[in-house]
Amino acid sequence: GQNIDQPTEMTATEGAIVQINCTYQTSGFNGLFWYQQHAGEAPTFLSYNVLDGLEEKGRFSSFLSRSKGYSYLLLKELQMKDSASYLCAVRALLAGTGTASKLTFGTGTRLQVTL
Amino acid sequence: DSGVTQTPKHLITATGQRVTLRCSPRSGDLSVYWYQQSLDQGLQFLIHYYNGEERAKGNILERFSAQQFPDLHSELNLSSLELGDSALYFCASSVSSGNTEAFFGQGTRLTVV
């Protein structure tokens, strides 16, 4: 099966930088996604990593180390609107199915941005 | 707007009843995923369909079933409802079952009373 761990809650100050970590254990790894979810709303896609290294997209960056089963999401120049849950999701190929895969989400990290 | 449409947005029903949740994926997307999110909980994967065929099944109860139709829309059927089934049910779609992100609908909030 798959196991995904993220911190439950984090707090950071407006304008600061915060790093949200995610560790995972899975077989058939086929990509890692980060999503943002505001309370009661649908998750929205932030970033995708399938190879080791850093992917940068504006104020958001995501890093992946497949050998360590580790990823982080880096948020810079924090704004109040960044207060949300951040979900780490791992895609894994299903054995014996060819291209079929399953996207499994962690329970999310609730980020509170304060003044 | 993600392009994924879910109906209804809200549903209140009594225990023991049966409901059907509907999802229309983004135009051109062949994969549809269903997730359940209880209050303050993470997203729990229920089931994945690709081009009309079931491809993966998560922790989906036997009281729950789903299907994807030839026009690619999907329905999630929940029967013999219990209070604990109250949750947000999200549908997501993606282009293929490979390395592409999934786009989520706004969800159906189910309340069982």
Side-chain angles (χ1 to χ4, degrees):
Chain A
Q2 293 174 302
N3 190 34
I4 301 173
D5 287 311
Q6 309 177 229
T8 304
E9 291 185 351
M10 297 183 72
T11 302
T13 307
E14 188 179 35
I17 299 173
V18 70
Q19 177 175 312
I20 302 174
N21 297 324
C22 171
T23 58
Y24 65 89
Q25 292 174 306
T26 188
S27 55
F29 176 82
N30 199 29
L32 187 142
F33 299 79
W34 284 95
Y35 282 79
Q36 180 191 61
Q37 186 181 26
H38 287 96
E41 298 182 9
T44 55
F45 170 75
L46 289 178
S47 70
Y48 167 68
N49 296 72
V50 68
L51 299 177
D52 291 351
L54 189 68
E55 294 285 338
E56 297 186 79
K57 192 185 289 187
R59 294 190 299 114
F60 296 80
S61 304
S62 58
F63 171 83
L64 175 67
S65 168
R66 289 171 296 170
S67 62
K68 295 181 180 177
Y70 168 70
S71 174
Y72 68 72
L73 179 70
L74 195 70
L75 292 79
K76 303 175 187 175
E77 302 169 15
L78 280 172
Q79 302 175 8
M80 297 298 288
K81 68 178 182 179
D82 297 329
S83 294
S85 287
Y86 291 86
L87 309 174
C88 170
V90 173
R91 188 187 298 283
L93 289 175
L94 299 172
T97 64
T99 60
S101 60
K102 186 171 80 170
L103 189 62
T104 302
F105 284 80
T107 53
T109 298
R110 190 173 301 177
L111 174 66
Q112 180 71 40
V113 180
T114 61
L115 292 171
Chain B
D1 182 7
S2 67
V4 179
T5 304
Q6 287 187 248
T7 56
K9 286 188 170 52
H10 301 277
L11 194 52
I12 301 175
T13 190
T15 54
Q17 296 297 306
R18 172 190 169 94
V19 297
T20 297
L21 312 184
R22 182 187 168 97
C23 171
S24 294
R26 292 189 319 156
S27 178
D29 284 1
L30 300 179
S31 271
V32 170
Y33 302 83
W34 284 98
Y35 294 88
Q36 178 193 55
Q37 188 173 39
S38 301
L39 190 63
D40 291 336
Q41 299 290 312
L43 283 162
Q44 298 297 318
F45 169 70
L46 294 178
I47 199 162
H48 169 212
Y49 278 85
Y50 175 73
N51 203 22
E53 293 186 4
E54 181 185 306
R55 281 300 182 94
K57 191 177 275 192
N59 296 325
I60 187 167
L61 300 172
E62 286 191 11
R63 301 184 285 109
F64 295 2
S65 65
Q67 58 185 131
Q68 186 179 28
F69 294 87
D71 67 351
L72 301 178
H73 91 271
S74 178
E75 292 181 354
L76 179 67
N77 300 296
L78 315 176
S79 61
S80 303
L81 284 168
E82 302 175 359
L83 296 178
D85 298 327
S86 296
L88 262 172
Y89 290 85
F90 286 107
C91 162
S93 74
S94 65
V95 171
S96 73
S97 58
N99 286 344
T100 51
E101 71 265 29
F103 292 86
F104 283 79
Q106 291 302 306
T108 293
R109 182 175 295 279
L110 173 67
T111 303
V112 182
V113 297

